[in-house]
């Protein structure tokens, strides 16, 4: 069964809730205050089925100016809007403001419903229709059908249902493959059930018992049960009105504007690059640092406007801006929003998010403007490549790119594979980099190593962690190793240190002689002594040589004691011979075989244990 969301909009007391009751047989004004005052304060929800078997979820949004914030929350995610205009009053101020809001929220379809038609004569009705058409010129409802109804006598209701049934065929299918997202618009608790949240599932699917994330809390949640229009379901699809029972989260920690979505599917930001359009009749122009109210999803956030193209955006104009938010939000590229002035409060415009991974921009920076225009209009592959160019220093992963583009990870992976195949991107471990940035990292790595070998020629290589901090400190262990491995064919080798494989060729004759001398002196000690590196070295040059050979020709048996690699190899051969004789040996056996002291023997055997060569069992050891 196909699902669509239909919402009402219009001036207060123009008959929205009465019309919904006439269509569905259910009331949406459930609060005592709503019934007492006769107006919708909060969002009301119900449903009915069209003759084509499509299920229509109804969102009855408030029309009173004081409750327009709730109206904005309800309008997000609508497929079709019913613009309600009472025939006995005609177009009113809130009618126009609601049309503006719906235009900026990209509601694709709409029907103008003239209510209370039995309360006026035909002549007045025709005048009202002409006035409606005049006011809706140059809006998305300019060519919308106008249906005359009366909810009390049921005049025109069948025609309205028939018109809806035809229009729903033109509503595009929702994206069930995208990462899941539901903006919460109601929170309450039910006795014996617990916390319940409702909202419109705008993208993806939700599965019972699966784990999702609550934003902005970044708290994992599990869905205990799902209801769609009062029916228990195991799965909900994009385009449905959904009620979720989420255990373990008290109502006090939830509010309208919170989001339930797939993990790592949303970008956290305090700056967004946007394209803004102002209404022709906006009472405000927008200039640098104006304080505005941003309505996105079911949230309201205060922000400051920073123009990127022209200093002032006049009514009826469109321009690029950066909005600097007074609190963090979680959003995606291509999310739409509405802007209202700070004070006095008016709806002045709206727009679309172009970039959520934004940095502060300079005014009229042509490179920034060109980049934003590319992001606004470009294909998915172009968007991914632009993201990698700007964000490679953060070492992005597949989930980061998916969150930025709002696309399914599988689709992103296909595009990334193409970029790698074309040589425009590089992939190692779980990281994707722009090829230019990857090459810059490689050149930087080689430059640092070249300088290191030049100024410290005795050392075998640069400590791996020291190099990481200079290349990109965000690299983690396995990721860093995989990065270094990509340069093996360029003469880079690494263990605890990183070096050029031909580094020794750069030593002078005198340096090679000194290296041979100090290492021979260390090997001559054999099992008679285990010196510390600092005490054994007779000069800074010798110390540098010994440090450079750690892990190679110099073995550190502990933090203090060192021995020559050949001596350690002899010790291992002696252990093998001892095990061959009796299957196991004790420390005294090793001490006798090497002619060393108990203390020196202990250092050797403890080191072999740590390397997994031997294993100590009580007082004896075996060979592993």
């Amino acid at each position: 069964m196909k699902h669509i969301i239909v919402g009402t909009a219009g001036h207060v007391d123009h008959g929205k809730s009465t019309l919904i009751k006439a269509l569905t047989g259910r009331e949406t004004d459930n609060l005592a205050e709503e019934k007492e005052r006769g107006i919708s304060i909060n969002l009301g929800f119900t449903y009915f089925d069209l003759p084509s078997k499509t299920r229509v979820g109804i969102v009855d949004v408030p029309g009173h100016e004081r409750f327009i914030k709730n109206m904005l929350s309800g309008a997000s995610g609508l497929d079709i809007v019913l613009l309600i205009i009472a025939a006995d009053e005609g177009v009113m101020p809130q009618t126009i403001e609601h049309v503006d809001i719906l235009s900026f929220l990209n509601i694709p379809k709409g029907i103008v419903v003239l209510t209370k038609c039995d309360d006026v004569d035909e002549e007045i009705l025709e005048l009202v229709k002409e006035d409606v058409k005049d006011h809706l010129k140059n809006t998305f409802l300019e060519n919308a059908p106008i249906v005359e109804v009366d909810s009390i006598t049921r005049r025109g209701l069948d025609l309205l249902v028939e018109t809806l049934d035809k229009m729903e065929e033109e509503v595009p299918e929702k994206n069930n493959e995208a990462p899941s997202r539901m903006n919460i618009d109601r929170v309450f608790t039910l006795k014996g059930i617990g916390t319940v949240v409702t909202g419109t599932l705008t993208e993806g699917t939700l599965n019972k018992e699966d784990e999702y994330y609550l934003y902005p809390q970044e708290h994992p949640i599990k869905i205990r049960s799902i209801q769609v229009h009062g029916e228990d379901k195991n799965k909900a699809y994009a385009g449905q009105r959904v009620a979720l029972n989420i255990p373990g989260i008290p109502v006090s920690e939830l509010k309208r504007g919170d989001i339930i979505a797939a993990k790592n599917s949303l970008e956290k930001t305090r700056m967004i690059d946007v394209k803004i359009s102002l209404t022709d009749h906006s009472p405000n122009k927008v200039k640098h640092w104006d304080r505005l109210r941003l309505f996105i999803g079911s949230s309201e956030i205060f922000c400051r406007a920073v123009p990127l193209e022209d200093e002032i955006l006049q009514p009826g104009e469109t321009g690029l801006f950066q909005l600097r938010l007074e609190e963090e939000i979680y959003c995606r590229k291509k999310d739409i929003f509405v802007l209202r002035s700070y004070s006095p409060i008016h709806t002045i415009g709206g727009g679309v998010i172009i970039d959520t991974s934004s940095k502060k921009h300079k005014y009229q920076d042509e490179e920034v403007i060109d980049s934003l225009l590319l992001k606004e209009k470009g294909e998915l592959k172009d968007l991914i490549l632009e993201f990698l160019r700007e964000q490679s220093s953060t070492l992005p992963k597949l989930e980061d790119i998916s969150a930025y583009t709002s696309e399914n990870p599988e689709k992103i992976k296909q595009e990334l594979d193409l970029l790698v195949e074309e040589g425009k991107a590089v992939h190692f471990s779980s990281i994707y980099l722009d090829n230019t940035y990857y090459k810059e990292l490689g050149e930087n790595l080689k430059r640092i190593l070249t300088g290191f070998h030049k100024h410290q020629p005795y050392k075998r290589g640069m400590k791996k962690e020291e190099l990481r901090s200079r290349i990109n400190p965000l690299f983690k262990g396995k990721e860093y190793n995989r990065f270094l491995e990509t340069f093996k064919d360029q003469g880079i080798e690494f263990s605890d240190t990183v070096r050029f494989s031909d580094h020794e060729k750069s030593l002078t004759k005198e340096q090679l002689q000194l290296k041979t001398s100090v290492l021979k002196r260390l090997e001559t000690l054999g099992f008679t002594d285990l010196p510390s590196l600092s005490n054994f070295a007779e000069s800074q040059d010798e110390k540098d040589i010994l440090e450079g050979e750690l892990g190679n020709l110099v073995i550190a048996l502990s933090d203090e004691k060192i021995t020559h690699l050949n001596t350690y190899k002899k010790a291992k051969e002696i252990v093998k011979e001892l095990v061959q004789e009796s299957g196991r040996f004790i420390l005294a056996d090793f001490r006798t075989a090497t002619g060393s002291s108990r203390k020196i023997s202990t250092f050797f055997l403890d080191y072999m244990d740590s390397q997994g060569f031997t294993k100590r069992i009580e007082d004896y050891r075996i060979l592993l």
Side-chain angles (χ1 to χ4, degrees):
M1 178 183 286
K2 186 177 180 180
H3 299 267
I4 62 170
I5 303 295
V6 173
T8 63
H11 193 70
V12 61
D13 202 29
H14 273 208
K16 295 188 298 296
S17 300
T18 306
L19 174 64
I20 299 307
K21 184 179 180 181
L23 287 171
T24 68
R26 304 179 190 89
E27 287 194 25
T28 55
D29 288 344
N30 296 316
L31 299 179
E33 186 182 357
E34 290 175 336
K35 292 184 177 181
E36 180 182 336
R37 298 174 61 179
I39 61 173
S40 295
I41 298 173
N42 220 316
L43 302 172
F45 308 106
T46 187
Y47 67 95
F48 74 104
D49 294 334
L50 293 171
S52 63
K53 306 304 181 184
T54 294
R55 176 150 290 181
V56 178
I58 299 285
V59 181
D60 181 20
V61 298
H64 194 284
E65 193 278 333
R66 286 177 55 198
F67 308 125
I68 202 160
K69 177 180 176 181
N70 289 356
M71 183 269 166
L72 280 160
S73 175
S76 178
L78 298 183
D79 297 305
I80 299 174
V81 64
L82 303 181
L83 180 65
I84 312 299
I85 301 174
D88 59 351
E89 289 192 359
V91 175
M92 299 294 283
Q94 268 67 60
T95 310
I96 300 302
E97 185 163 21
H98 281 204
V99 171
D100 288 340
I101 291 169
L102 296 166
S103 298
F104 292 121
L105 290 176
N106 286 344
I107 310 300
K109 301 288 180 180
I111 300 171
V112 179
V113 183
L114 294 183
T115 59
K116 306 183 183 181
C117 287
D118 283 358
D119 293 349
V120 298
D121 58 35
E122 289 300 318
E123 185 177 350
I124 295 296
L125 190 56
E126 287 303 313
L127 289 174
V128 170
K129 287 169 67 175
E130 289 303 315
D131 185 52
V132 168
K133 290 177 182 178
D134 286 342
H135 277 94
L136 295 181
K137 282 182 179 178
N138 301 318
T139 75
F140 80 106
L141 292 172
E142 181 175 10
N143 298 313
I146 299 176
V147 181
E148 303 167 18
V149 305
D150 191 283
S151 301
I152 304 301
T153 64
R154 302 191 65 79
R155 166 184 173 179
L157 292 186
D158 290 343
L159 177 58
L160 177 58
V161 171
E162 181 184 333
T163 306
L164 266 175
D165 211 12
K166 290 180 180 178
M167 188 170 285
E168 71 83 15
E169 295 177 2
E170 302 172 12
V171 175
E173 293 286 346
K174 294 291 192 305
N175 187 359
N176 285 309
E177 301 302 318
S180 309
R181 176 164 55 167
M182 186 186 94
N183 297 312
I184 294 175
D185 50 36
R186 255 184 165 172
V187 180
F188 53 93
T189 184
L190 291 176
K191 187 175 181 180
I193 294 178
T195 299
V196 177
V197 298
T198 68
T200 300
L201 182 55
T202 56
E203 297 170 283
T205 59
L206 293 174
N207 294 287
K208 182 180 175 181
E209 299 299 337
D210 280 1
E211 185 175 278
Y212 298 90
Y213 260 63
L214 177 67
Y215 298 91
Q217 296 88 337
E218 292 192 348
H219 193 295
I221 61 168
K222 181 169 281 191
I223 298 174
R224 177 183 288 163
S225 63
I226 299 174
Q227 279 200 350
V228 179
H229 303 310
E231 297 180 2
D232 290 333
K233 301 289 184 180
N234 291 322
K235 189 169 189 173
Y237 297 89
Q240 293 182 325
R241 285 291 311 173
V242 181
L244 306 175
N245 175 212
I246 49 176
I249 307 290
V251 169
S252 59
E253 294 183 14
L254 294 162
K255 66 181 185 304
R256 171 178 290 155
D258 290 350
I259 304 169
I260 292 175
K263 183 180 179 181
N264 297 324
S265 65
L266 298 176
E267 293 267 79
K268 178 169 68 174
T269 182
R270 291 188 72 129
M271 285 191 294
I272 50 177
D273 293 333
V274 300
K275 175 169 276 190
I276 293 175
S277 297
L278 298 187
T279 64
D280 293 333
H281 48 271
S282 170
N284 298 73
K285 53 190 175 183
V286 178
K287 59 186 183 301
H288 181 76
W289 217 240
D290 277 350
R291 197 178 191 210
L292 303 172
R293 299 169 184 265
L294 173 75
F295 290 84
I296 183 168
S298 48
S299 297
E300 176 188 10
I301 300 101
F302 293 108
C303 63
R304 296 285 184 176
V306 178
L308 301 178
E309 293 180 295
D310 299 319
E311 291 184 11
I312 298 176
L313 191 66
Q314 301 286 352
E317 293 183 344
T318 297
L320 296 175
F321 275 74
Q322 183 170 85
L323 297 181
R324 298 183 185 171
L325 313 178
E326 296 184 15
E327 58 184 280
E328 290 179 334
I329 64 169
Y330 288 80
C331 58
R332 292 177 185 160
K333 185 184 178 298
K334 297 182 182 179
D335 281 355
I336 53 179
F337 58 85
V338 170
L339 287 175
R340 306 192 82 201
S341 53
Y342 176 66
S343 181
I345 304 175
H346 303 285
T347 300
I348 62 172
V352 60
I353 295 177
I354 298 176
D355 198 350
T356 57
S357 301
S358 182
K359 301 175 182 178
K360 289 185 179 180
H361 302 314
K362 294 179 181 178
Y363 175 59
Q364 290 187 333
D365 186 322
E366 291 187 8
E367 186 175 336
V368 169
I369 293 171
D370 290 344
S371 174
L372 291 178
L373 292 175
L374 174 65
K375 291 173 184 176
E376 181 192 15
K377 299 177 181 179
E379 297 295 327
L380 179 58
K381 190 161 70 170
D382 295 327
L383 296 176
I384 293 172
L385 190 56
E386 188 70 11
F387 177 80
L388 292 180
R389 285 170 180 162
E390 294 183 354
Q391 300 296 323
S392 281
S393 61
T394 66
L395 309 182
K397 297 178 173 61
L398 178 62
E399 57 264 29
D400 301 317
I401 305 169
S402 178
Y404 173 75
T405 59
S406 308
E407 288 289 351
N408 184 283
E410 291 181 5
K411 191 171 182 180
I412 297 296
K413 179 69 166 56
Q414 291 174 359
E415 298 294 344
L416 284 167
D417 289 344
L418 286 175
L419 289 172
V420 171
E421 186 178 328
E422 294 170 3
K424 296 177 181 178
V426 176
H427 176 219
F428 55 87
S429 187
S430 58
I431 292 172
Y432 290 89
L433 299 180
D434 170 59
N435 190 48
T436 300
Y437 178 75
Y438 168 75
K439 287 181 177 179
E440 289 174 358
L441 284 184
E443 293 302 317
N444 195 27
L445 183 153
K446 295 171 188 175
R447 179 183 57 78
I448 292 171
L449 280 185
T450 298
F452 180 85
H453 287 324
K454 179 180 179 181
H455 294 100
Q456 302 190 58
Y458 303 124
K459 290 190 176 180
R460 177 176 176 78
M462 189 175 190
K463 290 182 179 178
K464 195 166 71 170
E465 284 304 300
E466 181 184 347
L467 179 61
R468 182 182 69 87
S469 68
R470 295 182 62 181
I471 293 292
N472 189 323
L474 296 180
F475 272 123
K476 296 180 180 178
K478 290 183 179 179
E479 298 168 352
Y480 183 39
N481 287 341
R482 292 292 300 275
F483 167 72
L484 292 175
E485 284 173 3
T486 66
F487 293 96
K488 276 189 172 181
D489 61 350
Q490 298 181 42
I492 303 294
E493 63 180 40
F494 67 96
S495 53
D496 293 335
T497 61
V498 186
R499 63 190 293 269
F500 284 118
S501 55
D502 62 352
H503 163 57
E504 287 188 348
K505 297 178 182 179
S506 65
L507 294 178
T508 65
K509 181 178 179 180
E510 291 76 14
Q511 290 167 345
L512 287 171
Q513 288 176 344
L514 182 60
K515 176 180 176 179
T516 302
S517 173
V518 68
L519 291 176
K520 184 64 176 177
R521 199 167 79 245
L522 179 63
E523 184 178 6
T524 302
L525 292 177
F527 297 105
T528 63
D529 190 15
L530 286 179
S532 67
L533 187 149
S534 56
N535 290 336
F536 182 73
E538 296 177 353
S539 66
Q540 183 61 45
D541 286 346
E542 287 191 357
K543 183 178 180 183
D544 289 342
I545 289 172
L546 293 170
E547 286 181 346
E549 289 298 326
L550 284 173
N552 185 39
L553 294 176
V554 176
I555 303 298
L557 299 180
S558 71
D559 292 339
E560 291 292 327
K561 303 299 183 181
I562 62 172
T563 189
H564 195 282
L565 175 63
N566 291 338
T567 305
Y568 178 61
K569 287 181 177 179
K570 290 178 183 178
K572 291 172 72 175
E573 291 301 321
I574 289 171
V575 166
K576 289 180 182 179
E577 293 172 2
L578 291 173
V579 172
Q580 286 176 355
E581 293 176 4
S582 58
R584 61 184 187 177
F585 68 99
I586 59 176
L587 186 145
D589 297 332
F590 181 81
R591 184 186 64 192
T592 300
T594 58
S596 61
S597 68
R598 180 180 181 85
K599 186 175 182 180
I600 289 175
S601 296
T602 300
F603 276 113
F604 272 101
L605 295 180
D606 286 348
Y607 182 76
M608 290 183 193
D609 292 342
S610 70
Q611 298 300 302
F613 183 69
T614 55
K615 181 178 180 180
R616 181 174 178 176
I617 303 175
E618 296 179 349
D619 291 334
Y620 62 88
R621 283 177 168 83
I622 60 173
L623 190 66
L624 290 179

